[in-house]
Amino acid sequence: MKPYLLLLVALLLSGFSFAQEIPARWDELVASDFPKALEKSSKTCILPIGILEKHGPHSPIGTDLIHVREWASRAVKSEYAVVFPDYFYGQINEARQQPGTFALPSKVIYELLEATCDEIARNGFDKIVILNGHGGNPEFLEFFMQSLLNKRHNYAVYLYRPENDPDYAAEYKKLHKSPINGDLHAGESETATLLYYRPDLMRMDRATNESGADQKRSDLPGLYTPIWWYSSFPNHYAGEGDKATSEFGKFITDHEIASFIKALKEVKADNKTIPLQNEFYDRVDKLNK
């Protein structure tokens, strides 16, 4: 066979192989490939949750959403799971005074998240992994998780919470330039992450246009008020984004991706959570008879 024919055959075969690869994103799947995606993912779907809110004067409104989108897309290249499309319906009432914030009522975000999980399960998934990218969501998500026990569900939901890694924490502290305690929102670490993932969206020349310092306008030891965040950070900016570098962002993201891949493997191999849930629901039903 002539060399150019061999090349043509090789290209055709490689193209065929490429065509057989199925996407990880739900919205990019062809419906006829959905059964393959269910099998390949062990019926596991990742639900990345971000938010739309101001991130200082320099980082995009969708920083949290972009973060989890990129985080999930890179993880599933190593450990396949289906990734649900962009979801930005979380708790963000504390930023309603800032332009671009998308804050829905609490009842709506709760019911929407449960309906979303129900619909993901209706399509064949029995394991849903919530990957959260927003610092204002954990309390809401933990309440949501516990509330799932209020009625029977035929699927399990896993909220990813990174484990403490002393070696990583030590190196992180060493590489961090600004005060770590004040690096809370759109500061050095979050800015570095976006600088690595999406440098084209960053406006680093504006990072010092506003203060990200704690204004300390309220001091009530042992007491919690919903206005605490605004009292401290009225600019919705906490930290020093100008200290961020793409190199630091790569260090952070390499670790977070590897850690999530490990958790994702555990979810896919898990065969205990759903039987335990069913045992719990059966005992609840028996008690009510």
Side-chain angles (χ1 to χ4, degrees):
M1 188 179 290
K2 294 182 178 180
Y4 72 87
L5 289 176
L6 286 171
L7 178 61
L8 179 61
V9 170
L11 287 172
L12 288 172
L13 288 174
S14 64
F16 178 77
S17 175
F18 176 77
Q20 299 310 299
E21 293 296 320
I22 55 175
R25 278 187 62 106
W26 182 308
D27 52 318
E28 294 179 359
L29 281 165
V30 175
S32 54
D33 279 336
F34 220 81
K36 294 178 186 176
L38 286 168
E39 180 181 3
K40 188 175 181 180
S41 68
S42 300
K43 297 183 178 180
T44 303
C45 182
I46 301 171
L47 177 54
I49 299 181
I51 211 75
L52 296 178
E53 61 169 335
K54 177 184 176 181
H55 275 77
H58 59 288
S59 200
I61 288 169
T63 288
D64 295 342
L65 182 64
I66 295 164
H67 179 188
V68 288
R69 179 199 300 156
E70 296 293 331
W71 189 356
S73 69
R74 283 164 169 75
V76 296
K77 289 178 181 177
S78 297
E79 189 64 36
Y80 185 86
V82 172
V83 181
F84 194 79
D86 299 355
Y87 191 99
F88 50 87
Y89 314 106
Q91 192 295 119
I92 188 55
N93 288 305
E94 65 273 20
R96 291 178 63 238
Q97 86 283 10
Q98 296 290 351
T101 300
F102 190 85
L104 294 175
S106 300
K107 179 181 178 181
V108 173
I109 62 171
Y110 180 92
E111 292 182 351
L112 182 59
L113 183 54
E114 183 173 27
T116 297
C117 290
D118 286 348
E119 191 66 1
I120 289 173
R122 189 185 66 79
N123 277 277
F125 297 97
D126 58 15
K127 296 175 180 179
I128 300 170
V129 186
I130 294 178
L131 182 63
N132 175 49
H134 172 49
N137 269 344
E139 293 84 357
F140 158 64
L141 291 174
E142 289 170 5
F143 173 74
F144 170 78
M145 296 285 289
Q146 290 304 124
S147 298
L148 288 172
L149 295 177
N150 190 50
K151 65 180 181 182
R152 186 181 293 269
H153 293 84
N154 62 349
Y155 58 85
V157 180
Y158 307 77
L159 175 59
Y160 174 64
R161 294 191 293 196
E163 292 183 325
N164 182 44
D165 182 338
D167 293 335
Y168 168 75
E171 187 65 16
Y172 176 91
K173 187 176 181 180
K174 189 187 303 182
L175 295 172
H176 205 281
K177 298 176 183 178
S178 61
I180 290 180
N181 290 341
D183 186 12
L184 301 174
H185 179 69
E188 183 181 351
S189 58
E190 194 167 26
T191 299
T193 299
L194 261 288
L195 267 177
Y196 177 69
Y197 278 144
R198 292 296 305 273
D200 57 305
L201 298 176
M202 305 302 288
R203 303 293 182 264
M204 294 303 294
D205 58 319
R206 306 175 194 173
T208 57
N209 286 2
E210 296 176 359
S211 172
D214 187 345
Q215 303 299 303
K216 299 179 180 179
R217 297 186 295 169
S218 178
D219 184 18
L220 298 168
L223 298 168
Y224 180 93
T225 65
I227 205 67
W228 77 269
W229 176 262
Y230 177 78
S231 70
S232 291
F233 306 103
N235 292 327
H236 208 60
Y237 180 22
E240 299 178 37
D242 60 303
K243 300 293 195 302
T245 65
S246 178
E247 291 75 22
F248 187 40
K250 184 178 187 306
F251 167 75
I252 294 171
T253 57
D254 283 350
H255 179 264
E256 71 179 12
I257 292 167
S259 299
F260 183 59
I261 288 171
K262 180 182 176 183
L264 190 56
K265 288 180 178 179
E266 291 178 355
V267 169
K268 290 173 68 175
D270 177 35
N271 57 10
K272 295 181 179 179
T273 299
I274 291 178
L276 284 170
Q277 282 185 183
N278 289 335
E279 178 185 313
F280 171 83
Y281 294 136
D282 289 345
R283 292 187 65 177
V284 171
D285 290 344
K286 184 177 180 181
L287 187 67
N288 292 333
K289 287 183 179 178

